């Protein structure tokens, strides 16, 4: 019985981990190219969740179809923020970019509160359930997993097969060398920031396929914390490392939650976060640059 429960939760963890992975790829992409740590990351996940909520409740658009809308909206939002604020801070001290992204995150949260209020909202999108022995899985969660995997695969192909993707990799490797070779570095910065925000907003839609009734303007804080753990675990600046680390984190989070819940007197939800950080520290002791990071 306990074994079935653990297997079921690990299965859920793998599905949810794929969404964590996509939600972290935008953070890693921005850090990898611009060396900017976006501490307002979770606010953009929240914007994606409300995009899905609004399109579903106002226009009956299925959340899975909201993904491209969220991507386009996120790219436009990222473009405006980069041109208005971040462009001036590309070479500024890290504290300046930390404060700027924190302020942007707070501004987005308060703007969202003005528009949507501070109450929790949600929607119901039931398309059936898949039964696998003792495991029951709503099709919405399977769709989230499939969509996450496709998004990660398309990003990989874009980075490795397109001219723009290769230009971004060149800027990551050597900014000055890329400029000498004729690459417009400022254009790459703009594109990378906008695309990173677009992917993050898009991941908010995927989040609603797991927690469709947990949408709130302050929901981003949890995802910021998870994203930083996953990004460091995968290797800061490595979008693919972030995606794979998301799987591992989802498995670890759900597995430890199940095992901790079996201990009398233990509140597993809060303790799982502590265990996750211990897990991260152990990994960093073995490999300081993260699982898929380069050499120091």
């Amino acid at each position: 019985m306990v074994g079935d429960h653990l297997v079921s939760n690990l299965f859920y963890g793998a599905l949810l981990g794929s969404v964590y992975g996509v939600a972290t790829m935008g953070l890693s992409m921005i850090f990898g190219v611009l060396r900017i740590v976006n501490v307002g990351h979770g606010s953009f996940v929240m914007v994606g969740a409300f995009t899905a909520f609004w399109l579903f409740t106002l226009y009956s658009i299925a959340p899975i179809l909201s993904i491209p809308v969220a991507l386009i909206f996120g790219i436009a939002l990222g473009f405006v923020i980069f041109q208005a604020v971040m462009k001036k801070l590309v070479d500024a001290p890290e504290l300046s970019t930390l404060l700027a992204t924190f302020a942007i995150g707070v501004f987005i949260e308060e703007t969202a509160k003005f528009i949507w209020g501070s109450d929790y909202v949600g929607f119901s999108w039931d398309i059936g359930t898949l039964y696998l022995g003792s495991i029951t899985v709503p099709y919405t969660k399977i769709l989230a997993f499939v969509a996450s995997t496709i998004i990660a695969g398309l990003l990989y192909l874009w980075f490795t097969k397109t001219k723009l993707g290769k230009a971004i990799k060149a800027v990551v490797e050597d900014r000055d060398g890329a400029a000498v070779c004729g690459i417009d570095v400022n254009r790459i910065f703009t594109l990378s920031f906008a695309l990173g925000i677009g992917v993050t907003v898009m991941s908010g839609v995927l989040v609603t396929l797991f927690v469709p009734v947990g949408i709130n303007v302050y929901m981003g804080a949890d995802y910021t914390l998870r994203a930083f753990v996953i990004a460091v675990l995968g290797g800061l600046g490595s979008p693919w490392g972030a995606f794979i680390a998301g799987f591992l984190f989802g498995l670890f989070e759900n597995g430890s939650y199940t095992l901790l819940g079996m201990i009398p007197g233990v509140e597993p939800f809060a303790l799982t976060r502590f265990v996750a950080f211990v897990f991260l520290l152990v990994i960093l002791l073995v490999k300081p640059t993260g699982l898929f990071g380069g050499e120091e």
Side-chain angles (χ1 to χ4, degrees):
M1 188 68 179
V2 174
D4 290 343
H5 187 51
L6 179 61
V7 170
S8 177
N9 269 6
L10 287 175
F11 190 77
Y12 273 111
L15 298 181
L16 181 59
S18 67
V19 176
Y20 286 164
V22 171
T24 309
M25 290 181 82
L27 179 77
S28 289
M29 192 184 305
I30 291 171
F31 180 81
V33 179
L34 293 105
R35 297 294 161 182
I36 289 176
V37 178
N38 180 16
V39 294
H41 178 78
S43 298
F44 296 101
V45 176
M46 175 271 293
V47 170
F50 270 102
T51 300
F53 169 73
W54 233 11
L55 290 177
F56 185 82
T57 54
L58 293 181
Y59 305 107
S60 300
I61 296 176
I64 201 73
L65 300 178
S66 301
I67 290 175
V69 178
L71 175 63
I72 294 169
F73 178 65
I75 289 175
L77 183 62
F79 178 82
V80 171
I81 291 173
F82 185 82
Q83 293 297 328
V85 182
M86 302 311 299
K87 186 176 182 179
K88 304 175 181 65
L89 300 174
V90 169
D91 294 319
E94 290 181 356
L95 183 59
S96 299
T97 56
L98 285 174
L99 289 173
T101 53
F102 176 76
I104 290 169
V106 172
F107 176 76
I108 290 174
E109 285 180 347
E110 295 308 312
T111 303
K113 182 181 176 183
F114 177 76
I115 298 172
W116 293 302
S118 58
D119 294 334
Y120 277 90
V121 297
F123 58 87
S124 177
W125 188 50
D126 186 0
I127 55 174
T129 301
L130 176 67
Y131 297 94
L132 294 171
S134 60
I135 302 172
T136 57
V137 190
Y139 282 117
T140 52
K141 293 178 173 55
I142 295 175
L143 275 179
F145 168 77
V146 173
S148 298
T149 306
I150 290 174
I151 290 166
L154 289 176
L155 281 173
Y156 178 79
L157 290 175
W158 187 78
F159 269 101
T160 56
K161 301 297 181 184
T162 68
K163 190 175 179 180
L164 271 177
K166 292 177 180 176
I168 290 177
K169 291 180 68 175
V171 171
V172 172
E173 292 291 331
D174 186 345
R175 181 190 304 184
D176 295 332
V180 170
C181 293
I183 295 175
D184 187 338
V185 175
N186 288 326
R187 182 186 176 204
I188 294 300
F189 283 166
T190 306
L191 174 66
S192 301
F193 190 87
L195 183 59
I197 297 298
V199 171
T200 304
V201 172
M202 183 169 57
S203 72
V205 176
L206 299 172
V207 166
T208 65
L209 297 179
F210 276 87
V211 283
V213 295
I215 302 169
N216 177 271
V217 294
Y218 300 118
M219 63 183 281
D222 281 345
Y223 292 97
T224 298
L225 180 64
R226 287 192 181 97
F228 276 105
V229 173
I230 293 168
V232 174
L233 179 64
L236 269 175
S238 170
W240 328 119
F243 184 68
I244 296 172
F247 272 106
L248 297 175
F249 187 86
L251 286 169
F252 188 81
E253 183 181 67
N254 273 30
S256 60
Y257 181 89
T258 305
L259 296 175
L260 290 169
M262 296 166 60
I263 302 174
V266 170
E267 203 291 298
F269 182 75
L271 199 56
T272 296
R273 295 180 181 179
F274 168 75
V275 175
F277 275 102
V278 172
F279 174 62
L280 173 65
L281 288 173
V282 171
I283 294 294
L284 292 182
L285 284 174
V286 178
K287 194 169 189 306
T289 56
L291 293 173
F292 301 94
E295 297 299 326
E296 287 183 307

